[in-house]
Amino acid sequence: MDTKIGSLDAPKPNSNDVVSCNHTSSAAIQPCLPATVINGAGCSDSTLGGHLARRLVEIGVTDVFSVPGDFNLTLLDHLIAEPALNLVGCCNELNAGYAADGYARARGVGACVVTFTVGGLSVLNAIAGAYSENLPLICIVGGPNSNDYGTSRILHHTIGLPDFSQELRCFQTITCFQAVVNNLEDAHELIDTAISTALKESKPVYISISCNLPGIPHPTFSRDPVRFSLSPRLSNKMGLEAAVEAAAEFLNKAVKPVLVGGPKLRVATASDAFVELADACGYALAVMPSAKGQVPEHHPHFIGTYWGAVSTAFCAEIVESADAYLFAGPIFNDYSSVGYSLLLKKEKAIIVQPDRVVIANGPAFGCVLMKDFLKALAKRLKHNNTAYENYHRIFVPDGHPLKAAPREPLRVNVLFQHIQNMLSGETAVIAETGDSWFNCQKLKLPKACGYEFQMQYGSIGWSVGATLGYAQAVPEKRVIACIGDGSFQVTAQDVSTMLRCGQKTIIFLINNGGYTIEVEIHDGPYNVIKNWNYTGLIDAIHNGEGKCWTAKVSFLTLSSNFIALSKHGGVSKLEYLVLIHACFSFQVFCEEELVEAIATATGPKKDSLCFIEVIVHKDDTSKELLEWGSRVSAANSRPPNPQ
């Protein structure tokens, strides 16, 4: 098993001030199931708050996303006091949770801190999304004073009842462990159990800490934190051998078998083992849409995304015509199955889940870890590249969008052709729920290029907070976020936090006037939204503080402005360029302006947060969304079964 949790020598931020968000580097933490013993480091802080802060640093968390409230203020003081921990204040609890989600995707674990009930219930949606995506996330809530438990007192921030358990009951369904710390005697055990459970289960946990406890010394915190061990999960040896034997027999007699990677490769930490299997067997290699980024797309036998009728060209034909397919970590829901329309047969499939293997209509093997199974199977399979050779025979290279006429309104396919050219191993893509799913899915990721989106939960607005968290976790990468106008309106506020943190993200705001993905499932007037002055909004968020430059103009208008200023003796060209600060905002109507905007964002403003608003027609959608929307609509509108 991989025993790496994270660097215990994580770099310390330049400051522990709540608004200081910059890091010189990041502590590497593998998104894996840890199986090591964590050793505590000496610290003079003998309080509960100090212990929690040290534990977070030990597991690789150097940034905590928070919203203050009177029940968590003392706890926040102790988190700030930890030199290796950085507190990032967010505009609301939902975004703090989304940021912790994005951070966990890059670092392997994330954390957020909110206040009791009004904060806890606000962050619920983000925690539920992290649960659906199997992300270890530590959700910490500042709770009521310990003396108020068991009394008939009615507290503020509650629904007016003396029962304080409403928040806890809500979290019980979307976290794998809940700890209510309202005394110091078992606080150490509860906190350590919660954190270790999050890492072992790769799910969120809930920790409530009474507001009067963080600063009180206690003997359990008076020395180095007691070592706690995360026991490694092991495969049943006999079950593993039997599963590998059965799978090898099944696949070796197939004529044109294929491999398909699924989203649970992440939680099983089996991506490398999956690639090792692909290298050994020579099968054609595809991924499910929600696994994009989990498998290297530069692999010589990679054929694209398998998504039924909206798959990468020629991919579905190869997968669905195979006489055997191995799916590693799949999730077959109505979205990934395109309204339950996949042309797959159970008798042809081997389904490998994180700890279970099912072979066709035959046996199932439990207590078999995916990583162990894939590694062992790689040694037993005969090399067979028939399916890939078939793909290579029928493959026709991608076409290119028609050449746009001068000043022609920008088309979405032209936009993403230019985004494709921006990608490298030093970038990462965040795709918002909506048509960005389908357009970003067609991007070809270079080696080491990150990619994240939230498909299982599909919460619109997720990407703003997730972009904040992901960029904070890996400051060495430049994040490119593709966000629709409808989604952006849900969570726009935390662009403010990105600016405070000095992030260099490029946001493409795709303005097409509404909830396009909903339009293609079922249209109605409720899918049309009020248009905003998005570039003006970024200017308002900047508000003259820090380094930010915005303009609701085309690049040609910008040039005209310079000429006008120069004629009046207002500024020199050098002085004018100095006015272009760390945030670059742009509104794009045509390809020429897009080219200019990208050139600026990746050139003079490469160290800046760049906001590029792209204006497109409301009906300009990917062909994949049109097909997918029709099929999902058909699945949603099935009549009731006869009673």
Side-chain angles (χ1 to χ4, degrees), residues 115-128:
T115 197
F116 181 59
T117 305
V118 291
L121 299 189
S122 291
V123 81
L124 277 173
N125 189 53
I127 304 304

Side-chain angles (χ1 to χ4, degrees), residues 32-35 136 176 193-203 229-233 267:
C32 64
L33 178 66
C176 66
T193 302
I195 292 175
S196 61
T197 302
L199 296 173
K200 287 189 291 186
E201 301 296 327
S202 198
K203 294 283 190 181
S229 174
L230 301 181
S231 301
R233 298 177 64 190
V267 68

Side-chain angles (χ1 to χ4, degrees), residues 191-458:
I191 290 172
D192 285 3
T193 302
I195 292 175
S196 61
T197 302
L199 296 173
K200 287 189 291 186
E201 301 296 327
S202 198
K203 294 283 190 181
V205 295
Y206 164 85
I207 303 175
S208 173
I209 297 178
S210 289
C211 60
N212 60 326
L213 298 185
I216 302 176
H218 190 269
T220 55
F221 307 125
S222 64
R223 54 189 179 275
D224 290 350
V226 176
R227 292 157 42 119
F228 68 90
S229 174
L230 301 181
S231 301
R233 298 177 64 190
L234 302 174
S235 295
N236 178 287
K237 186 175 180 180
M238 293 181 63
L240 174 61
E241 292 174 353
V244 170
E245 178 69 29
E249 181 182 359
F250 183 85
L251 292 170
N252 282 334
K253 67 183 181 183
V255 176
K256 45 184 181 178
V258 298
L259 299 177
V260 183
K264 291 185 180 180
L265 282 170
R266 187 206 298 268
V267 68
T269 65
S271 293
D272 289 344
F274 185 68
V275 174
E276 184 179 322
L277 174 63
D279 289 340
C281 67
Y283 297 178
L285 171 64
V287 293
M288 298 184 73
S290 47
K292 188 175 178 69
Q294 301 299 311
V295 176
E297 298 186 5
H298 60 276
H299 191 278
H301 286 177
F302 184 76
I303 64 172
T305 298
Y306 173 63
W307 201 353
V310 295
S311 298
T312 303
F314 311 106
C315 180
E317 291 80 0
I318 295 299
V319 172
E320 293 180 344
S321 66
D323 55 346
Y325 19 74
L326 183 151
F327 280 81
I331 294 178
F332 295 109
N333 61 22
D334 51 337
Y335 273 13
S336 65
S337 67
V338 198
Y340 312 112
S341 65
L342 300 183
L343 300 179
L344 300 175
K345 296 181 179 180
K346 185 179 179 182
E347 61 268 22
K348 294 182 179 181
I350 295 178
I351 306 298
V352 187
Q353 294 296 3
D355 56 4
R356 183 177 177 83
V357 177
V358 180
I359 299 178
N361 291 320
F365 302 90
C367 299
V368 175
L369 299 185
M370 184 190 297
K371 183 189 297 185
D372 297 341
F373 173 79
L374 297 177
K375 283 180 173 291
L377 184 61
K379 301 173 183 177
R380 298 289 304 277
L381 293 185
K382 299 175 182 176
H383 192 272
N384 184 343
N385 62 354
T386 302
Y388 180 74
E389 288 184 344
N390 288 345
Y391 168 79
H392 191 67
R393 290 187 190 97
I394 66 174
F395 176 76
V396 177
D398 291 339
H400 296 286
L402 296 175
K403 183 67 178 177
R407 309 298 295 174
E408 178 185 343
L410 187 65
R411 298 193 303 273
V412 170
N413 55 18
V414 173
L415 166 64
F416 278 91
Q417 183 183 29
H418 286 282
I419 292 176
Q420 175 69 67
N421 295 333
M422 298 171 67
L423 302 186
S424 71
E426 298 177 347
T427 61
V429 176
I430 303 290
E432 175 57 76
T433 301
D435 199 22
S436 291
W437 273 5
F438 302 90
N439 287 301
C440 288
Q441 195 67 222
K442 292 183 284 187
L443 295 173
K444 294 178 175 60
L445 303 181
K447 183 179 181 180
C449 181
Y451 185 92
E452 297 292 345
F453 78 131
Q454 188 196 64
M455 185 174 187
Q456 172 60 38
Y457 201 57

Side-chain angles (χ1 to χ4, degrees), residues 39-45 54 58 82 223-225:
N39 296 299
C43 183
S44 60
D45 189 348
R54 290 193 300 273
E58 287 170 353
E82 168 54 54
R223 54 189 179 275
D224 290 350

Side-chain angles (χ1 to χ4, degrees), residues 7 36-37 51 181 210 287 311 389 414 435 449 494 553 588 630 642:
S7 173
T36 190
V37 174
H51 176 78
V181 181
S210 289
V287 293
S311 298
E389 288 184 344
V414 173
D435 199 22
C449 181
D494 270 283
V553 293
V588 170
S630 298

Side-chain angles (χ1 to χ4, degrees), residues 460-584:
I460 64 168
W462 162 85
S463 66
V464 175
T467 295
L468 164 65
Y470 192 98
Q472 194 65 16
V474 282
E476 66 274 13
K477 283 188 181 291
R478 193 167 198 195
V479 177
I480 299 172
C482 301
I483 309 175
D485 52 340
S487 297
F488 187 74
Q489 289 194 8
V490 178
T491 49
Q493 305 97 312
D494 270 283
V495 170
S496 172
T497 310
M498 297 178 196
L499 290 171
R500 291 172 68 193
C501 293
Q503 294 183 356
K504 55 186 180 182
T505 294
I506 300 175
I507 296 176
F508 285 98
L509 189 284
I510 303 170
N511 185 348
N512 56 11
Y515 300 117
T516 301
I517 191 170
E518 312 295 0
V519 168
E520 303 309 332
I521 296 174
H522 183 91
D523 200 6
Y526 31 74
N527 291 325
V528 179
I529 63 174
K530 171 72 174 66
N531 191 41
W532 287 3
N533 179 351
Y534 293 99
T535 52
L537 174 65
I538 300 303
D539 188 45
I541 290 174
H542 164 225
N543 197 28
E545 298 177 5
K547 295 181 178 181
C548 181
W549 181 79
T550 63
K552 186 181 179 181
V553 293
S554 73
F555 195 86
L556 295 176
T557 307
L558 173 59
S559 300
S560 300
N561 287 344
F562 167 69
I563 293 171
L565 285 169
S566 299
K567 284 181 177 179
H568 289 84
V571 292
S572 68
K573 184 172 183 179
L574 177 61
E575 290 171 328
Y576 190 71
L577 292 175
V578 170
L579 296 175
I580 303 176
H581 291 309
C583 176
F584 178 75

